[in-house]
Amino acid sequence: MRSFDYNTAFSRNIGWVTEEEQERLRNCRVAIGGLGGVGGVHLLTLARLGIGRFNVADFDKFDLVNFNRQVGATMSSIDRPKIEVLKEMARDINPELELRLFSEGISTKNLNEFLDGVDVYVDGLDFFAFDIRRKTFAACQTKGIPVVTAAPLGLGTAVLIFSPTGMTCEDYFGFEGCDEFEMAIRFLVGLSPAILQRGYVADISRISLHERRGPSSIASCELCAGVAAVETLKLLLRRGEIRYAPWGSQFDAYRMKYVRTWRPGGHNNPLQRLMFFLLRQQLRNKTS
């Protein structure tokens, strides 16, 4: 069996990064909350960039329903903890990885430890995990950790980057005082103000914010991972243009369309408020 050599394994990264930068990536720490649809492919993509240290959290197990989009979901992984499966897959890429595992997921009890020594946080939590997402984003702000969140929307990806010195998650999304349904609307519109995914849904009955369900695709998850990995790379190496919230980006592969959005004032922006209203009306008409 051949032995592992870090420099050889990631030598083809050189050119896009320098040898010195690759060594810096080797010593960076990225936290990933959730290892499901996007979280698992985030971990494997970032591991192939040569990032050497991770804090990862997930409490769930793989099931058949995960097969369409989750990189760790296979017949041999059914009923196995996602965190254990992804740990094995990541260490099969880089046996030298330093992995801190949080097998109970992120909670108020372990949040401080989960973010300890972290350079960038990459959001992989379930869409509806609003409570712990808000707490995690707020803790990152306090600790000076930038946040990358890439959402698989439609057959594309929507990306937001939160600076620890810029607009907060709360100011951008406006979750305070909202019930879960309203938070879902504000999160969806906040992630993708352009809503490029509208118009090609084949079966609208499969989407229900009230029932916490909607269609998904591996194509959009992998697009998320690619874009999030590049933004994480730029943050870690401190080079390249990064536009923080209230700037956002969305690419829809089905429509082959890219839009960059700017919503000063976040949820209070008139365009955002209009989109909230229109989406509420659409969802009411669908369920009436």
Side-chain angles (χ1 to χ4, degrees):
M1 182 177 178
R2 296 184 63 179
S3 60
F4 177 78
D5 178 76
Y6 179 92
N7 293 327
T8 301
F10 303 110
S11 61
R12 294 298 178 91
N13 291 338
I14 308 303
W16 301 119
V17 300
T18 66
E19 291 184 359
E20 180 184 358
E21 286 174 331
Q22 187 68 67
E23 190 61 28
R24 283 165 57 189
L25 293 175
R26 187 178 189 175
N27 294 295
C28 287
R29 183 174 298 279
V30 173
I32 303 173
L35 294 174
V38 292
V41 71
H42 282 327
L43 175 60
L44 300 187
T45 303
L46 293 170
R48 291 193 187 279
L49 283 180
I51 293 168
R53 300 172 181 174
F54 293 94
N55 292 1
V56 294
D58 198 290
F59 58 83
D60 203 5
K61 295 180 179 180
F62 282 115
D63 200 350
L64 275 171
V65 73
N66 305 137
F67 275 43
N68 77 309
R69 70 197 182 283
Q70 299 194 17
V71 291
T74 62
M75 290 303 295
S76 62
S77 69
I78 288 179
D79 292 329
R80 292 192 61 202
K82 294 179 182 179
I83 200 166
E84 290 296 326
V85 174
L86 268 300
K87 175 190 73 173
E88 293 171 6
M89 294 177 73
R91 285 213 169 119
D92 223 13
I93 295 168
N94 180 358
E96 297 175 355
L97 279 183
E98 183 185 318
L99 285 167
R100 296 177 186 168
L101 306 180
F102 294 79
S103 58
E104 296 179 356
I106 311 173
S107 68
T108 52
K109 293 180 180 179
N110 66 17
L111 183 53
N112 189 59
E113 182 184 0
F114 175 69
L115 295 175
D116 184 44
V118 167
D119 298 297
V120 175
Y121 170 68
V122 179
D123 183 29
L125 294 170
D126 180 84
F127 181 91
F128 292 96
F130 296 119
D131 181 60
I132 195 60
R133 177 177 283 110
R134 294 173 69 187
K135 290 174 180 176
T136 304
F137 279 37
C140 287
Q141 185 92 11
T142 299
K143 291 175 175 291
I145 301 170
V147 173
V148 177
T149 183
L153 296 177
L155 295 173
T157 179
V159 185
L160 285 171
I161 316 296
F162 287 93
S163 165
T165 58
M167 177 173 278
T168 68
C169 165
E170 293 296 328
D171 287 339
Y172 183 79
F173 290 111
F175 289 141
E176 186 65 34
C178 298
D179 61 19
E180 184 179 89
F181 179 70
E182 181 64 21
M183 282 194 284
I185 288 174
R186 294 188 177 209
F187 192 44
L188 179 58
V189 174
L191 287 168
S192 59
I195 312 188
L196 295 181
Q197 66 273 21
R198 71 190 186 282
Y200 61 81
V201 180
D203 184 353
I204 195 69
S205 70
R206 294 289 181 167
I207 301 175
S208 174
L209 296 183
H210 284 294
E211 298 174 16
R212 294 187 171 192
R213 61 177 172 83
S216 56
S217 167
I218 184 62
S220 53
C221 292
E222 292 191 337
L223 285 167
C224 287
V227 174
V230 174
E231 294 298 280
T232 301
L233 185 79
K234 291 192 292 183
L235 287 165
L236 293 174
L237 298 180
R238 299 182 182 180
R239 66 173 172 90
E241 181 191 34
I242 296 174
R243 293 194 180 183
Y244 297 99
W247 285 96
S249 298
Q250 185 177 6
F251 171 69
D252 189 276
Y254 188 88
R255 299 177 67 186
M256 275 296 159
K257 189 171 183 179
Y258 171 77
V259 173
R260 178 167 275 182
T261 55
W262 184 52
R263 295 295 184 267
H267 71 283
N268 284 317
N269 185 280
L271 285 174
Q272 292 297 82
R273 297 176 74 85
L274 175 62
M275 293 306 298
F276 296 155
F277 172 78
L278 292 175
L279 184 56
R280 286 189 210 104
Q281 292 298 108
Q282 181 181 358
L283 292 172
R284 286 195 186 107
N285 291 338
K286 185 176 81 72
T287 55
S288 62

